Amino acid sequence: MKVSVKVPATTANLGPGFDCLGLALPIYNTITVEETIMPGTGIEINIIDETNEQDIISIPTDENNIVYKAIELLYNSIGQTPDELKITINTHIPIARGLGSSAAVVVGGLLAANKLLGSPADEAALLSIASEIEGHPDNVTPAIVGGFVIASFEEDGSVIYRKLPWPKDWKITVCIPDYELATDIARSVIPKDIPLKDAIFNLKHSAMLVEAVNSQDKELMKFALNDKLHQPYREKLVPGMKEIKDALKHEENVLGCVLSGAGPSLLVVSYGNNLNKIKEIISKTWLDLNVKSQIYTLDVEENGAVILE
Ligand code: HSE
């Protein structure tokens, strides 16, 4: 028996909502988990890069693979171990670009393995295992449930989340540079202790952001898409980010530009139809720094992971 799951890309943080806000985007990975028939064949992991542009060589294909680790936690939670499994990952989501590629494969592997096992884990258990593997819930939650979410990974390992409708005319432009940035490196530059005034800054901006989405308030969203917890420290890892953010401040219809997750991709929230101008500013700023980019304007994906029959 085999099960395939299609999982959307995700963007986390949206500026001030570090480790708690995220939304799903319509780029997908498909993860297939198969029980191998021959005993003793062990674990086989295949990664197929559907874009032909990714560096998949460095991704482990043994027990150190995060999909395997997630599946192992699921099996362990019901007192079993995964002995014979074939895992195939078809990847479209750019790797290590801040678009939730690891969350997508973790979620896909978990949902597929859960179905193979007869669905012993409910959504709460799957969210909890996926967040434990990722270390934060802001990619795995929208990957599972879709849309715009506020998520909290609690000390007892549970995840509390709420999903809000994203305003239909607010577009997301993802700007993906031609280099990778590992999340652990992007997290290592953030100090462990931050000034109280910066914590207060983010508290009020993330609260305002949720209300801006809730009431489709563009002016409030413009105010809210600001952060002092992670982007000021990560800026040095993403050349051109400051220039792009500054240039877009003057563009009509732009509500804000933030790092997508841990970066290095940037995310522009906008409405209306001056998207070509926005793309031109970003690709030119990066090209001047010898950075090539891919830029897509997307709607938010309101659906989460889907089990393909
Ligand atoms: N909230 C996480 C971070 C997202 O910013 O490090 C990583 O994808």
Side-chain angles (χ1 to χ4, degrees):
M1 191 185 166
K2 73 175 172 186
V3 179
S4 296
V5 180
K6 183 180 157 194
V7 192
T10 45
T11 182
N13 303 331
L14 284 107
F18 184 65
D19 279 3
C20 62
L21 298 181
L23 52 83
L25 297 170
I27 309 172
Y28 309 90
N29 282 356
T30 304
I31 299 87
T32 303
V33 181
E34 205 170 330
E35 282 163 336
T36 46
I37 305 147
M38 299 284 287
T41 40
I43 306 298
E44 182 185 334
I45 301 174
N46 299 303
I47 302 165
I48 300 162
D49 170 24
E50 302 287 354
T51 66
N52 289 320
E53 287 171 4
Q54 313 250 41
D55 174 21
I56 53 171
I57 308 291
S58 53
I59 302 174
T61 52
D62 57 12
E63 277 80 356
N64 293 315
N65 184 287
I66 48 166
V67 183
Y68 175 75
K69 286 187 177 187
I71 292 175
E72 191 178 34
L73 280 185
L74 174 67
Y75 272 72
N76 292 347
S77 72
I78 55 163
Q80 296 188 26
T81 46
D83 294 324
E84 328 279 339
L85 282 183
K86 181 174 171 190
I87 301 166
T88 307
I89 300 167
N90 292 76
T91 170
H92 285 276
I93 304 172
I95 293 165
R97 299 298 207 287
L99 290 167
S101 62
S102 66
V105 295
V106 164
V107 163
L110 275 177
L111 266 63
N114 192 43
K115 176 91 180 170
L116 277 181
L117 287 167
S119 305
D122 59 9
E123 183 190 88
L126 294 167
L127 276 170
S128 172
I129 296 174
S131 299
E132 187 175 336
I133 293 286
E134 278 276 287
H136 43 87
D138 44 343
N139 292 105
V140 296
T141 311
I144 292 180
V145 305
F148 170 66
V149 302
I150 313 153
S152 170
F153 187 28
E154 296 291 292
E155 278 174 12
D156 66 1
S158 64
V159 173
I160 294 172
Y161 81 87
R162 290 293 181 272
K163 179 174 168 180
L164 292 184
W166 183 260
K168 288 236 173 324
D169 61 333
W170 292 10
K171 299 286 178 196
I172 300 292
T173 300
V174 285
C175 319
I176 311 165
D178 63 353
Y179 61 90
E180 295 185 359
L181 175 57
T183 300
D184 51 356
I185 294 174
R187 289 182 86 85
S188 72
V189 299
I190 303 170
K192 294 279 167 283
D193 297 305
I194 47 134
L196 181 63
K197 67 177 180 15
D198 291 351
I200 294 168
F201 182 96
N202 270 54
L203 275 176
K204 59 193 177 193
H205 283 77
S206 54
M208 295 287 189
L209 195 153
V210 173
E211 173 52 17
V213 171
N214 190 38
S215 57
Q216 312 195 7
D217 184 333
K218 296 187 182 91
E219 276 316 303
L220 193 62
M221 192 65 170
K222 253 187 190 176
F223 165 81
L225 281 167
N226 284 298
D227 146 73
K228 289 197 175 175
L229 281 196
H230 67 112
Q231 296 180 131
Y233 307 104
R234 289 172 161 172
E235 221 166 63
K236 59 179 180 250
L237 303 173
V238 185
M241 173 177 160
K242 190 175 178 318
E243 292 79 350
I244 290 169
K245 280 176 70 125
D246 288 347
L248 291 179
K249 270 185 197 146
H250 310 293
E251 282 310 306
E252 209 190 328
N253 303 347
V254 171
L255 300 180
C257 172
V258 293
L259 263 188
S260 180
S265 296
L266 298 177
L267 193 94
V268 182
V269 184
S270 70
Y271 62 97
N273 48 19
N274 60 340
L275 292 164
N276 286 340
K277 178 82 188 298
I278 295 171
K279 291 178 187 175
E280 207 180 288
I281 291 172
I282 298 165
S283 58
K284 187 175 178 317
T285 309
W286 270 343
L287 263 188
D288 288 347
L289 296 164
N290 280 324
V291 175
K292 292 199 196 87
S293 57
Q294 289 180 315
I295 303 179
Y296 309 107
T297 298
L298 306 167
D299 286 319
V300 167
E301 170 57 271
E302 287 294 340
N303 296 307
V306 177
I307 296 179
L308 306 171
E309 296 297 343

